Amino acid sequence: MKQATLSLDPAFAIGPIDPRVRGSFVEHLGRCVYGGIYEPDHPDADPDGFRTDVLDLTRELGVTTVRYPGGNFVSGYTWEDAIGPKDKRPRRLDLAWKTIETNAVGVDEFAAWCRKAGVEPMMAVNLGTRGVDAATALVEYCNHPSGSYWSDLRVSHGAKDPHNIKVWCLGNEMDGPWQIAHKNARDYGILAQQTAHAMRLVDPDLELVACGSSSRRMPTFGSWEAEVLEHTYGVVDYVSLHSYYRPKDGDFASFLASGVDMDAMIESVIATCDYVKAKVRSKKTINLSYDEWNVWYHERGDEREWVEAPALYQDEYSLADAVVVGSLLNSLLRRADRVSMACFAQLVNVIAPITTENGGPAWRQSTFYPMKYAFSYGVGHTLRVEPSGPVVETAEYGAVPQLDCTATLDGETGDVAIFAVNRSLTEPLGVVADVRALGSGSADSGVRPVAHVALHGPDRDATNTRDNARVVPQELPVPVVDGGELRVELPPMSWNMIRLSTPAA
Ligand code: AHR
């Protein structure tokens, strides 16, 4: 069996992990809102119409932050349609997804859902068809205590306390020609700068995200970030990144290496942010908000009638998809020093780890599990692990390391979690980790193995359905730590979490 090696040392901490990397996304798209988080006629709905089974699964997943209301949807959205008495709210054509929007859920309902789910809202403003005025009014409605037109309107709608939404996205994917009122980098940069400036006049404590690129494959990738940041550097805190992956033409070797693309996008955007920092002579560092990421199979298409909440993009995720999602989580944790926020897209029904039936049950897709484990145990600081070992040949990325690995150390408990993906479709992989520095530094270092949990199996296409959960984490034999070395075997095409207890607290 081939073997990879790495070292774990608390002295090589990359950075503290911001809890907001454990984020998700709820968009008015398909059945994410209606039939997903909200279904007043469902037997498990609470008095506000929210599905309690989805709330329970959201809490189980360990999500901290949820982005809302879009996505492409936000670029044509009139948020004022969805406040106040529900029977007065207009039905609108949502042009982004060719859907009838009833507006039964708006910002007040979403803020209430967030409180129940125990998550922080992350709000996007419409910089497609709208601009400064609508954005500042929304901030006033959400965050101003009272005594002004919009804040008093919120109070009159039953929300006495402000929603206090801290993180705001300045539009969505404005680099994309599919976006309603898509703009070039200069026009978007100027509008984002003006909007950010005005939003901060309403609430100086906001944290603002400028739109970056919709993917690394966009022809404007790089130049878009540079030009937008040259306009906005002084008024924003983060720039966004989006990526979706799928196997192309059955090329699973490249698909399993999708994290290589995500790593490259992260490194490029960090470099661009720092280039602009130098150019505008700023002391401030712009960090990254990877606020849409996932595996996504479906192609976009509009050939349907205008209906409410159509079943769009309800991907059924496989074992291979879950392994890739685990690898993408490694990429996000790997640059904990610069990736401050991340949202897997989306939370429920639409390319999601949670699936529901209208009037029926909710269940966990395969991709639920790497997120749940990374969110529970990938806390504290990321450690630089510097693995070396065999490579796998891929058509898309060339030779890539067979082992994709990151590790975290919880400084309060001394608990270490190693997240490891074996990218070979057919071969197991041995891993030897030098763990002496986590303990006393000697061979009997006080480091104890706790668990090895893995997603693996003979059928890479296995999925979870309503009645049959075929992809669930398996407990493997607890690995051995001997002579200051951890030795563990990773099954072919697998996602793994190995936990250690250490005296490093
Ligand atoms: O998450 C689905 C869609 O993907 C979002 O609306 C858009 O921002 C992206 O293209």
Side-chain angles (χ1 to χ4, degrees):
M1 183 171 42
K2 289 180 182 161
Q3 190 168 287
T5 57
L6 56 98
S7 299
L8 296 172
D9 187 331
F12 297 106
I14 288 172
I17 298 163
D18 191 318
R20 296 175 300 180
V21 296
R22 306 192 273 276
S24 183
F25 178 29
V26 165
E27 176 168 9
H28 285 253
L29 161 56
R31 295 178 56 251
C32 189
V33 172
Y34 306 112
I37 65 167
Y38 181 80
E39 192 181 339
D41 297 334
H42 192 277
D44 289 336
D46 71 9
D48 294 323
F50 297 123
R51 286 186 64 143
T52 53
D53 52 355
V54 173
L55 279 167
D56 288 344
L57 286 171
T58 303
R59 289 188 211 100
E60 180 186 328
L61 198 50
V63 172
T64 55
T65 306
V66 179
R67 184 168 175 253
Y68 175 85
N72 296 343
F73 172 80
V74 80
S75 296
Y77 186 44
T78 302
W79 66 268
E80 301 91 322
D81 286 344
I83 54 174
K86 290 203 180 181
D87 58 354
K88 302 255 170 359
R89 298 185 188 181
R91 291 165 65 82
R92 297 277 191 203
L93 300 185
D94 161 27
L95 305 181
W97 300 112
K98 195 173 180 195
T99 299
I100 297 285
E101 172 57 51
T102 65
N103 285 306
V105 171
V107 65
D108 291 320
E109 287 79 19
F110 182 68
W113 181 85
C114 286
R115 282 191 292 278
K116 290 176 195 232
V119 302
E120 287 295 321
M122 175 186 194
M123 196 77 190
V125 298
N126 176 353
L127 291 193
T129 58
R130 308 188 77 192
V132 180
D133 210 23
T136 51
L138 181 55
V139 176
E140 182 185 322
Y141 184 87
C142 290
N143 287 6
H144 197 70
S146 63
S148 66
Y149 175 78
W150 290 109
S151 59
D152 286 346
L153 192 61
R154 183 201 69 241
V155 173
S156 77
H157 293 155
K160 184 171 168 294
D161 295 325
H163 300 319
N164 280 331
I165 301 176
K166 200 170 172 75
V167 181
W168 295 72
C169 302
L170 299 164
N172 175 72
E173 292 191 351
M174 296 309 299
D175 62 323
W178 58 86
Q179 205 65 218
I180 298 170
H182 150 70
K183 293 172 176 53
N184 63 36
R186 180 176 179 277
D187 291 349
Y188 168 71
I190 292 169
L191 179 59
Q193 187 279 329
Q194 293 171 341
T195 308
H197 172 74
M199 288 167 74
R200 284 192 192 285
L201 294 177
V202 182
D203 182 348
D205 294 330
L206 303 182
E207 293 185 39
L208 300 177
V209 186
C211 282
S213 294
S214 309
S215 95
R216 197 162 79 98
R217 290 179 179 76
M218 294 299 288
T220 49
F221 176 60
S223 63
W224 172 275
E225 283 79 358
E227 190 162 358
V228 166
L229 286 175
E230 280 178 31
H231 289 289
T232 58
Y233 205 92
V235 288
V236 303
D237 305 286
Y238 309 96
V239 64
S240 73
L241 300 81
H242 291 180
S243 295
Y244 293 98
Y245 300 97
R246 66 188 159 95
K248 291 176 202 111
D249 305 322
D251 177 4
F252 275 82
S254 298
F255 180 50
L256 286 177
S258 299
V260 171
D261 180 82
M262 191 182 240
D263 290 335
M265 185 155 182
I266 289 171
E267 295 303 328
S268 303
V269 175
I270 290 172
T272 310
C273 290
D274 293 349
Y275 155 74
V276 181
K277 177 180 183 175
K279 192 167 179 197
V280 303
R281 290 164 175 67
S282 177
K283 290 199 169 68
K284 179 170 91 176
T285 297
I286 299 286
N287 284 324
L288 276 51
S289 172
Y290 221 121
D291 47 44
E292 286 187 35
W293 66 271
N294 206 344
V295 171
W296 184 357
Y297 280 80
H298 289 262
E299 298 296 339
R300 298 167 199 219
D302 281 343
E303 283 152 30
R304 61 179 168 273
E305 299 303 310
W306 290 95
V307 292
E308 294 174 23
L312 299 179
Y313 312 124
Q314 298 200 168
D315 284 3
E316 195 170 278
Y317 288 112
S318 67
L319 171 61
D321 299 330
V323 172
V324 169
V325 163
S327 181
L328 299 176
L329 285 159
N330 284 351
S331 296
L332 295 169
L333 289 173
R334 189 167 287 129
R335 288 307 304 256
D337 56 329
R338 297 299 293 271
V339 180
S340 306
M341 300 188 285
C343 307
F344 65 85
Q346 299 191 359
L347 180 67
V348 50
N349 289 331
V350 177
I351 46 172
I354 301 170
T355 303
T356 70
E357 259 179 27
N358 289 342
W363 62 94
R364 299 165 190 82
Q365 293 242 14
S366 63
T367 53
F368 187 93
Y369 295 105
M371 294 191 215
K372 171 179 166 166
Y373 282 89
F375 292 176
S376 302
Y377 297 107
V379 298
H381 281 72
T382 299
L383 300 180
R384 184 182 299 283
V385 291
E386 295 298 331
S388 61
V391 296
V392 174
E393 291 298 332
T394 70
E396 205 161 338
Y397 307 111
V400 303
Q402 184 175 338
L403 174 66
D404 171 39
C405 182
T406 190
T408 60
L409 168 65
D410 181 344
E412 282 176 21
T413 61
D415 291 345
V416 167
I418 303 167
F419 299 99
V421 167
N422 178 2
R423 286 176 171 145
S424 168
L425 289 161
T426 51
E427 304 293 324
L429 180 67
V431 176
V432 180
D434 182 338
V435 298
R436 284 171 299 173
L438 290 173
S440 59
S442 69
D444 178 22
S445 58
V447 176
R448 305 280 173 252
V450 175
H452 178 183
V453 177
L455 287 167
H456 73 106
D459 181 2
R460 71 180 178 210
D461 298 325
T463 60
N464 294 345
T465 58
R466 174 201 139 124
D467 300 315
N468 191 5
R470 294 176 63 205
V471 188
V472 290
Q474 295 167 44
E475 294 272 350
L476 298 186
V478 176
V480 175
V481 175
D482 191 22
E485 280 183 350
L486 165 79
R487 287 179 179 270
V488 63
E489 184 181 324
L490 312 181
M493 205 204 70
S494 60
W495 170 87
N496 303 263
M497 180 184 71
I498 298 113
R499 290 175 51 220
L500 309 171
S501 74
T502 80

